[in-house]
Amino acid sequence: MTEILPESFFHQPTLELAKALLGCKLVKRTNQGIASGYIVETEAYKGPEDRAAHSYQNRRTKRTEVMFGNPGYVYTYQMHTHCLVNVVSNEVDKPEAILIRAVEPEEGINLMYERRGQMPAKNLTNGPGKLTKALGISMEDYGRAFFEPPIYIAKGYTPESISIGPRIGIENTGEAKDYPWRFWVTDNPYVSRKR
């Protein structure tokens, strides 16, 4: 039986939560069925003082509104043609979030192939836009809670080793591009980038 993590799990500092999410199971229920994967890569964004964060300098917009609320909620946004999924973290009015960058497929793999097409298994979910398409996560999930269906995070496994490095794709953010706020399960083949 899948054990959904309680709301209290999300009440921990952003960098700690970004590591604690590794090995947890991300699950999405749709009319087509259930698809899930173990989270193997995350990136933390620490709000007002982080130039790479959407909420830098407390920018409060229609898009970032959910980040100003309670932790444990879904922050989805469009980037080019992709939907990306984040876990809101920190306290109310401290807008921080954790991007889920990669998952290791677990349940509903045939459904993932239907959504993504035929390809090597390791390419199914090894990036933030790939995993949302594979799992059926969309902009409709914005503002939902990660601790109740149809989208939720459940207990998984504890990684033996966690690697740490700078975040990806944020070159124009000054010193923020070098913060070591990307975390991944060491040597997992589904991680989007090894370094």
Coordinates of all heavy atoms in Angstrom, one line a residue, residues 158-189:
T158 N 15.3 5.3 0.8 CA 16.4 6.3 1.2 C 17.6 6.0 0.4 O 18.2 4.9 0.4 CB 16.7 6.1 2.7 OG1 15.6 6.2 3.5 CG2 17.8 7.1 3.1
P159 N 18.0 7.0 -0.4 CA 19.2 6.9 -1.3 C 20.5 6.6 -0.5 O 20.6 7.1 0.6 CB 19.4 8.2 -2.0 CG 18.0 8.9 -1.8 CD 17.5 8.4 -0.6
E160 N 21.3 5.7 -1.0 CA 22.6 5.4 -0.3 C 23.5 6.6 -0.3 O 24.3 6.9 0.6 CB 23.3 4.2 -1.0 CG 22.8 2.9 -0.6 CD 23.5 1.7 -1.3 OE1 24.7 1.9 -1.6 OE2 22.9 0.7 -1.6
S161 N 23.5 7.4 -1.5 CA 24.4 8.5 -1.6 C 23.7 9.6 -2.4 O 23.0 9.3 -3.4 CB 25.7 8.0 -2.3 OG 26.5 9.1 -2.6
I162 N 23.9 10.8 -2.0 CA 23.3 12.0 -2.7 C 24.5 12.9 -3.2 O 25.4 13.2 -2.4 CB 22.4 12.8 -1.7 CG1 21.2 12.0 -1.3 CG2 22.0 14.1 -2.3 CD1 20.3 12.6 -0.3
S163 N 24.4 13.3 -4.4 CA 25.4 14.2 -5.0 C 24.8 15.6 -5.0 O 23.6 15.8 -5.1 CB 25.8 13.8 -6.4 OG 26.4 12.5 -6.4
I164 N 25.7 16.6 -5.0 CA 25.3 18.0 -4.9 C 26.1 18.8 -5.9 O 27.3 18.6 -6.1 CB 25.6 18.5 -3.5 CG1 24.8 17.7 -2.4 CG2 25.3 20.0 -3.4 CD1 25.1 18.1 -1.0
G165 N 25.4 19.7 -6.6 CA 26.1 20.6 -7.5 C 25.3 21.8 -7.9 O 24.2 22.0 -7.3
P166 N 25.8 22.6 -8.8 CA 25.1 23.8 -9.2 C 23.8 23.5 -10.0 O 23.8 22.4 -10.7 CB 26.1 24.7 -10.0 CG 27.1 23.7 -10.4 CD 27.1 22.6 -9.4
R167 N 22.9 24.4 -10.0 CA 21.6 24.2 -10.8 C 21.9 24.3 -12.3 O 23.0 24.8 -12.7 CB 20.6 25.1 -10.3 CG 20.2 24.9 -8.8 CD 19.3 26.0 -8.3 NE 20.0 27.2 -8.2 CZ 19.5 28.3 -7.7 NH1 18.3 28.3 -7.2 NH2 20.2 29.5 -7.6
I168 N 20.9 23.9 -13.1 CA 21.1 23.9 -14.6 C 20.2 24.9 -15.3 O 19.1 25.1 -14.9 CB 20.8 22.4 -15.1 CG1 21.8 21.4 -14.5 CG2 20.8 22.4 -16.6 CD1 21.3 20.0 -14.7
G169 N 20.8 25.5 -16.3 CA 20.0 26.3 -17.2 C 19.6 27.7 -16.6 O 18.6 28.3 -17.0
I170 N 20.5 28.2 -15.7 CA 20.2 29.5 -15.1 C 21.4 30.5 -15.3 O 21.7 31.2 -14.4 CB 19.8 29.4 -13.7 CG1 20.8 28.6 -12.9 CG2 18.4 28.7 -13.5 CD1 20.7 28.7 -11.4
E171 N 22.0 30.5 -16.5 CA 23.3 31.2 -16.7 C 23.2 32.6 -16.3 O 24.2 33.2 -15.9 CB 23.7 31.0 -18.1 CG 24.4 29.6 -18.4 CD 23.3 28.5 -18.4 OE1 22.1 28.7 -18.7 OE2 23.7 27.3 -18.0
N172 N 22.1 33.3 -16.6 CA 22.1 34.8 -16.5 C 21.6 35.2 -15.1 O 20.9 36.2 -15.0 CB 21.2 35.4 -17.6 CG 21.7 35.0 -18.9 OD1 22.9 35.0 -19.2 ND2 20.7 34.7 -19.8
T173 N 22.0 34.6 -14.0 CA 21.5 34.9 -12.7 C 22.7 35.3 -11.7 O 22.5 35.1 -10.5 CB 20.7 33.7 -12.1 OG1 21.6 32.6 -12.1 CG2 19.5 33.4 -13.0
G174 N 23.8 35.8 -12.3 CA 24.9 36.2 -11.4 C 25.4 35.1 -10.6 O 25.5 33.9 -11.1
E175 N 25.7 35.4 -9.3 CA 26.3 34.3 -8.5 C 25.4 33.2 -8.2 O 25.8 32.1 -7.8 CB 26.8 35.0 -7.2 CG 25.7 35.6 -6.3 CD 26.2 36.2 -5.1 OE1 27.4 36.7 -5.0 OE2 25.5 36.3 -4.1
A176 N 24.1 33.4 -8.3 CA 23.1 32.4 -8.1 C 23.3 31.1 -8.9 O 22.9 30.0 -8.5 CB 21.6 32.9 -8.3
K177 N 23.9 31.3 -10.1 CA 24.1 30.1 -11.0 C 25.1 29.1 -10.4 O 25.1 28.0 -10.8 CB 24.5 30.6 -12.4 CG 26.0 31.1 -12.5 CD 26.3 31.5 -13.9 CE 27.6 32.1 -14.2 NZ 28.7 32.0 -13.2
D178 N 25.9 29.6 -9.4 CA 26.9 28.7 -8.8 C 26.4 28.1 -7.5 O 27.2 27.3 -6.9 CB 28.2 29.5 -8.6 CG 28.8 30.0 -9.9 OD1 28.7 29.2 -10.9 OD2 29.2 31.1 -10.0
Y179 N 25.3 28.5 -7.0 CA 24.8 27.9 -5.7 C 24.7 26.4 -5.8 O 24.1 25.9 -6.8 CB 23.5 28.5 -5.2 CG 23.5 30.0 -5.0 CD1 22.3 30.7 -4.9 CD2 24.7 30.7 -4.7 CE1 22.2 32.0 -4.6 CE2 24.6 32.1 -4.5 CZ 23.4 32.7 -4.4 OH 23.4 34.1 -4.2
P180 N 25.2 25.6 -4.9 CA 25.1 24.2 -5.0 C 23.8 23.6 -4.5 O 23.7 22.9 -3.5 CB 26.3 23.7 -4.1 CG 26.4 24.8 -3.0 CD 26.0 26.1 -3.7
W181 N 22.7 24.0 -5.2 CA 21.4 23.7 -4.7 C 20.7 22.7 -5.6 O 19.5 22.6 -5.7 CB 20.6 25.0 -4.6 CG 21.0 25.8 -3.5 CD1 21.9 25.5 -2.5 CD2 20.6 27.2 -3.2 NE1 22.1 26.6 -1.7 CE2 21.3 27.6 -2.1 CE3 19.8 28.1 -3.8 CZ2 21.2 28.9 -1.5 CZ3 19.6 29.3 -3.3 CH2 20.3 29.7 -2.2
R182 N 21.5 21.9 -6.4 CA 20.9 20.7 -7.1 C 21.3 19.5 -6.4 O 22.5 19.3 -6.1 CB 21.4 20.7 -8.6 CG 20.8 19.6 -9.4 CD 21.0 19.8 -10.9 NE 22.4 19.5 -11.3 CZ 22.8 18.4 -11.8 NH1 22.0 17.4 -12.1 NH2 24.1 18.2 -12.1
F183 N 20.4 18.6 -6.2 CA 20.7 17.3 -5.5 C 20.2 16.1 -6.4 O 19.1 16.2 -7.0 CB 19.9 17.3 -4.2 CG 20.2 18.6 -3.4 CD1 19.3 19.7 -3.4 CD2 21.3 18.7 -2.5 CE1 19.6 20.8 -2.7 CE2 21.6 19.8 -1.8 CZ 20.7 20.9 -1.9
W184 N 21.0 15.1 -6.4 CA 20.6 13.9 -7.1 C 21.1 12.6 -6.5 O 22.0 12.6 -5.8 CB 21.0 14.0 -8.6 CG 22.5 14.0 -8.9 CD1 23.2 12.9 -9.3 CD2 23.4 15.1 -8.9 NE1 24.5 13.3 -9.5 CE2 24.6 14.7 -9.3 CE3 23.2 16.5 -8.6 CZ2 25.8 15.5 -9.4 CZ3 24.3 17.3 -8.7 CH2 25.6 16.8 -9.1
V185 N 20.4 11.5 -6.8 CA 20.8 10.2 -6.3 C 22.0 9.8 -7.1 O 22.0 9.7 -8.3 CB 19.6 9.2 -6.5 CG1 20.1 7.8 -6.1 CG2 18.4 9.6 -5.7
T186 N 23.1 9.7 -6.4 CA 24.4 9.4 -7.1 C 24.3 8.2 -8.0 O 23.8 7.1 -7.6 CB 25.5 9.1 -6.0 OG1 25.5 10.3 -5.1 CG2 26.8 9.0 -6.6
D187 N 24.8 8.3 -9.2 CA 24.9 7.3 -10.2 C 23.5 6.7 -10.7 O 23.5 5.7 -11.4 CB 25.7 6.1 -9.7 CG 27.2 6.5 -9.4 OD1 27.7 7.4 -10.1 OD2 27.8 5.9 -8.6
N188 N 22.4 7.4 -10.4 CA 21.2 6.9 -10.9 C 21.1 7.3 -12.4 O 21.3 8.4 -12.8 CB 20.0 7.6 -10.2 CG 18.7 7.0 -10.6 OD1 18.2 7.3 -11.7 ND2 18.1 6.2 -9.8
P189 N 20.7 6.3 -13.3 CA 20.7 6.5 -14.7 C 19.7 7.5 -15.2 O 19.7 7.9 -16.4 CB 20.5 5.1 -15.3 CG 19.8 4.3 -14.2 CD 20.4 4.9 -12.9

